Amino acid sequence: MKFQGKIAIWFWFMIIAGNVVFLYAFLYAILFEEDSVGAMIMGIVLFNLICIPIVARNYVIVSEISVTVYFGFYKESIMLRDITEVRRTHDIIASTAASLDRISINGRWNGLMCAVKDKEGFFEELKRKNPNIKMYI
């Protein structure tokens, strides 16, 4: 089952603000520092190459054997049988989530974080696939 990733308003603001700053720097470079125009173009392109895939490819798939998080170019999985607990968190640690309204999935050997729009449906699906998962919701 596929769960759409959650994107917070602050993440959208960060993308817009980043583009505004790069565009301002680009215009400044065109008018006053012609030598740095190429660097400004590269900055805009690289910034958007990182941010746009995060918005476009942000979802979680719960299959019969695993949970897989897709976040931009990044992909991470954890086997359902290895998941020991799932909890809501607002941890600011760097993670595969474009929102601070996150879900922490902890396993025997590893863990991951994600943010989905339908948290309740996500929790129900995990519990249905593996009733041994402890839910701290």
Side-chain angles (χ1 to χ4, degrees):
M1 181 173 241
K2 183 176 180 178
F3 294 90
Q4 190 60 44
K6 184 175 183 180
I7 302 171
I9 195 78
W10 63 263
F11 194 81
W12 288 110
F13 178 75
M14 181 192 75
I15 292 172
I16 293 167
N19 276 294
V20 167
V21 167
F22 273 116
L23 287 173
Y24 175 79
F26 175 70
L27 293 174
Y28 184 86
I30 288 174
L31 296 173
F32 302 110
E33 297 179 19
E34 295 170 0
D35 297 346
S36 60
V37 170
M40 292 301 114
I41 292 172
M42 285 299 295
I44 292 170
V45 169
L46 287 174
F47 180 76
N48 284 293
L49 278 175
I50 293 169
C51 293
I52 291 172
I54 289 173
V55 172
R57 190 172 181 241
N58 181 7
Y59 55 91
V60 178
I61 293 185
V62 179
S63 72
E64 292 302 317
I65 60 168
S66 68
V67 175
T68 305
V69 176
Y70 295 85
F71 190 69
F73 296 115
Y74 186 75
K75 176 182 161 187
E76 186 174 6
S77 293
I78 186 168
M79 300 303 287
L80 278 168
R81 68 175 182 265
D82 294 336
I83 298 174
T84 56
E85 66 179 31
V86 176
R87 64 178 66 227
R88 293 175 190 256
T89 182
H90 295 285
D91 196 347
I92 60 173
I93 190 168
S95 76
T96 50
S99 171
L100 291 177
D101 188 15
R102 299 175 175 174
I103 298 169
S104 175
I105 303 170
N106 299 312
R108 293 183 186 133
W109 298 282
N110 62 343
L112 54 88
M113 284 194 195
C114 62
V116 295
K117 289 180 181 178
D118 180 15
K119 282 188 283 307
E120 298 309 319
F122 182 73
F123 294 141
E124 288 173 17
E125 183 70 7
L126 287 179
K127 197 65 171 173
R128 188 176 71 75
K129 301 272 176 132
N130 181 352
N132 296 324
I133 298 174
K134 292 180 183 141
M135 300 282 182
Y136 299 102
I137 54 176

